[in-house]
Amino acid sequence: MAWDTLRCKVNVPATVAYNTPDPRRVLNARSTCLISHSTRLPEERKPPRPVDAVQSLERGLAIIRAFGESPSMNLAQISERTALSRSAVRRLLMTLVDLGYVQTAGKRYQLAPSVLWLGYTHKQHVTVRDICRPHLQTLARHLGTSSSIAVLEGADVRYICRVMAASEFAPTVTEGTRLPAHQTSLGRVLLAQLETDMFEEYVRAGSLPGGLWLANFRQDIELTRSRGWNAVDQLMEVGIQAVSVPLRNRDGNIVAALSTATNNAAGPIQAFVRDSLPHVEETARRIGVELTPDTPVG
């Protein structure tokens, strides 16, 4: 960039010859000019607005968002935070007050309870599946494994959300799949949360193997109940390892179970648990923060 194209004027004291200016003064002046020049965004570089965009709606929403930093503001504060003129802000506020989304308190403004409906109309359609999916995608991408959410329905678990690993070409389990609870890690985590009488009813009603298998199954459920997670090693199919944890909502109630699994086991189950469990537990915690007691399963 040529120096003369910036059209910057450098004032040089008379005591300094023009052809030998003080380097410090020239450097400071040059820096100021460059900074000032670089902050101006050329028109051709500004992101284009949609042709059908309604500017008044954009400005009204900007005012509503401005209250996120302060619950009560006057006209000048709103104007400053939205970068809109006071006259424009005043007209928009009058409209929002008339619609019931903003209320006045003297010369100050604050959001009215009616504004909650803007979010509630969306929230009432958000399910556990919707909340879980982005978290499962992150978990699956980080571990390179499949991640799933399932709920207990009778003697089965039903998969309500599942993200496959990149290496899983022909999945045997998809969303909506039902499997016997005792045959999956997800199911065993959920069975471990049942009251003793309900668990015994499940054992009696189900066509479970007896003898040593049943004794090992009971022991595994007790261990899961005490440590809070379950891991299975090639229980249903050769090569499949899985680790699961309960999924709780904000109130601490268990609403489902979360698991990660690999269909290409390359080591002992202890190594898989060591590498996966901390990430699965953290994912369950993050999801739980977003789950309210009234979030539908989906």
Side-chain angles (χ1 to χ4, degrees), residues 226-266:
S226 64
R227 67 188 180 186
W229 55 271
N230 179 271
V232 297
D233 186 14
Q234 307 182 76
L235 181 63
M236 288 188 62
E237 296 181 23
V238 174
I240 295 182
Q241 292 178 334
V243 59
S244 303
V245 299
L247 184 61
R248 302 176 185 272
N249 61 19
R250 292 180 186 174
D251 287 354
N253 298 320
I254 296 174
V255 297
L258 162 66
S259 78
T260 190
T262 178
N263 59 359
N264 187 25

Side-chain angles (χ1 to χ4, degrees), residues 111-173:
L111 294 181
S114 300
V115 80
L116 295 174
W117 287 98
L118 295 175
Y120 183 75
T121 52
H122 168 69
K123 177 180 176 295
Q124 63 183 338
H125 299 293
V126 175
T127 65
V128 173
R129 178 191 294 112
D130 299 325
I131 293 174
C132 290
R133 188 174 303 282
H135 294 281
L136 293 191
Q137 290 171 339
T138 300
L139 181 64
R141 184 168 56 250
H142 180 75
L143 295 177
T145 57
S146 300
S147 301
S148 307
I149 301 288
V151 294
L152 186 64
E153 292 185 348
D156 299 332
V157 288
R158 177 170 65 89
Y159 288 77
I160 63 172
C161 187
R162 179 169 168 79
V163 174
M164 298 182 300
S167 60
E168 192 174 3
F169 298 107
T172 57
V173 175

Side-chain angles (χ1 to χ4, degrees), residues 4-262:
D4 57 354
T5 61
L6 294 179
R7 303 180 184 274
C8 296
K9 181 179 179 180
V10 180
N11 295 321
V12 182
T15 55
V16 181
Y18 183 79
N19 58 350
T20 58
D22 187 337
R24 291 171 298 178
R25 292 181 178 272
V26 174
L27 179 60
N28 290 339
R30 184 182 300 227
S31 300
T32 302
C33 295
L34 289 175
I35 292 173
S36 175
H37 179 79
S38 63
T39 55
R40 300 191 188 97
L41 188 63
E43 290 296 328
E44 62 271 14
R45 290 177 55 191
K46 292 182 179 179
R49 295 178 69 253
V51 177
D52 298 328
V54 180
Q55 190 178 56
S56 57
L57 177 59
E58 293 176 347
R59 292 179 172 182
L61 292 175
I63 288 177
I64 292 177
R65 288 195 298 268
F67 286 96
E69 300 178 7
S70 179
S72 176
M73 294 184 289
N74 58 31
L75 185 67
Q77 291 171 323
I78 298 173
S79 175
E80 181 181 356
R81 294 197 177 183
T82 59
L84 299 174
S85 67
R86 294 192 185 188
S87 60
V89 170
R90 184 181 61 81
R91 292 193 300 271
L92 290 166
L93 283 172
M94 290 176 61
T95 302
L96 291 171
V97 169
D98 185 60
L99 293 173
Y101 293 123
V102 172
Q103 57 191 17
T104 59
K107 294 185 177 181
R108 301 186 71 83
Y109 298 86
Q110 59 190 27
L111 294 181
S114 300
V115 80
L116 295 174
W117 287 98
L118 295 175
Y120 183 75
T121 52
H122 168 69
K123 177 180 176 295
Q124 63 183 338
H125 299 293
V126 175
T127 65
V128 173
R129 178 191 294 112
D130 299 325
I131 293 174
C132 290
R133 188 174 303 282
H135 294 281
L136 293 191
Q137 290 171 339
T138 300
L139 181 64
R141 184 168 56 250
H142 180 75
L143 295 177
T145 57
S146 300
S147 301
S148 307
I149 301 288
V151 294
L152 186 64
E153 292 185 348
D156 299 332
V157 288
R158 177 170 65 89
Y159 288 77
I160 63 172
C161 187
R162 179 169 168 79
V163 174
M164 298 182 300
S167 60
E168 192 174 3
F169 298 107
T172 57
V173 175
T174 58
E175 292 180 6
T177 297
R178 301 176 69 97
L179 293 173
H182 65 273
Q183 293 184 6
T184 67
S185 178
L186 286 163
R188 294 192 175 203
V189 160
L190 294 172
L191 289 173
Q193 313 308 317
L194 297 177
E195 298 291 339
T196 302
D197 56 344
M198 296 183 64
F199 174 71
E200 292 300 329
E201 182 180 347
Y202 170 84
V203 172
R204 289 192 299 269
S207 54
L208 304 181
L212 182 59
W213 186 96
L214 184 57
N216 290 336
F217 174 64
R218 288 182 179 276
Q219 183 179 10
D220 188 44
I221 294 298
E222 286 297 326
L223 182 60
T224 300
R225 187 177 291 121
S226 64
R227 67 188 180 186
W229 55 271
N230 179 271
V232 297
D233 186 14
Q234 307 182 76
L235 181 63
M236 288 188 62
E237 296 181 23
V238 174
I240 295 182
Q241 292 178 334
V243 59
S244 303
V245 299
L247 184 61
R248 302 176 185 272
N249 61 19
R250 292 180 186 174
D251 287 354
N253 298 320
I254 296 174
V255 297
L258 162 66
S259 78
T260 190
T262 178

